Amino acid sequence: MRQKQTFTLVELLVVIGIIAILAGLVIPAVIRAQQQGRITQAKSDMATILLALKGVESTYNKMVNGDSSFDGKTAKTDSAFPNCIILGGGNDTSVDAYDCFIAELSVPNQVSNPNINKRKMKFLDPSPKFDPSIDYNATSDEAKENRKHLWRDPWGNRYVIIINTQLTDEIPNPADTNKSLAAKAIVYSYGPNGEDNNAKNILYDVGSSLDATCDDIASWH
């Protein structure tokens, strides 16, 4: 009668060691691939938002009205960005001027006091996870959860949109406001770390204030 073949303890340890080594090589590669996929998605989203803004400009001869009110919410202004309004940033569940503007372009019938889209035309498709049947401006927990899908970046933050209200092709570069970008509107994401690094990215920008944590993703990179 043949003896049943069994693994020795040493053989089992060798196999476990090989599996651990392979996992150590494969898992980081998978994580990198997933992160790169999110970065690619963010770039695609930003291009879509900019395309929608061009559609607004083509229809109304401007991207926003001169005032900074969006369905009752006020956009940010900054002296470092003259003639510009700043929308977005952050991931809280309260309604933001960014949400109001995105809703104005994607679910215009829900917006009571549109800034620019008086004809209530649709320039932007709602994000796939956003439920347009729920009032984006409601205070219910359901509405708060739904707002998280109102064109957020892959890490759950609002994109930052900066628009020149004078429609001149010049916006200060958030990474260095002493330099300008030839654009009427720009968009950037906080990136994987979820923090506002003023659009700085270690791969594209240099300077004394830049460090390895700067991973913002910008539409002009």
Side-chain angles (χ1 to χ4, degrees), residues 17-33:
I18 291 170
I19 292 171
I21 290 169
L22 290 174
L25 294 172
V26 171
I27 291 173
V30 170
I31 292 172
R32 282 195 299 272

Side-chain angles (χ1 to χ4, degrees), residues 8-142:
T8 66
L9 179 60
V10 173
E11 288 172 330
L12 283 172
L13 289 174
V14 169
V15 170
I16 291 169
I18 291 170
I19 292 171
I21 290 169
L22 290 174
L25 294 172
V26 171
I27 291 173
V30 170
I31 292 172
R32 282 195 299 272
Q34 288 177 334
Q35 200 70 281
Q36 188 56 50
R38 293 188 184 105
I39 290 169
T40 300
Q41 181 62 53
K43 289 181 176 179
S44 175
D45 286 353
M46 291 187 288
T48 301
I49 290 170
L50 287 172
L51 186 62
L53 289 174
K54 287 180 181 176
V56 175
E57 181 191 1
S58 176
T59 303
Y60 295 104
N61 295 317
K62 48 188 173 181
M63 293 181 179
V64 290
N65 277 327
D67 65 87
S68 56
S69 178
F70 294 83
D71 206 17
K73 300 295 178 180
T74 304
K76 304 166 197 169
T77 56
D78 189 323
S79 59
F81 297 87
N83 301 319
C84 293
I85 57 166
I86 303 168
L87 298 158
N91 61 3
D92 60 276
T93 56
S94 59
V95 185
D96 184 272
Y98 169 93
D99 300 333
C100 297
F101 188 51
I102 293 295
E104 189 173 322
L105 303 187
S106 57
V107 283
N109 290 330
Q110 290 192 16
V111 180
S112 302
N113 299 297
N115 172 280
I116 181 72
N117 193 13
K118 306 296 183 183
R119 300 180 199 171
K120 299 208 168 182
M121 298 172 65
K122 186 177 177 182
F123 294 97
L124 188 65
D125 286 326
S127 298
K129 292 183 180 179
F130 179 77
D131 186 349
S133 69
I134 301 171
D135 181 1
Y136 89 97
N137 207 7
T139 57
S140 66
D141 290 339
E142 184 182 37

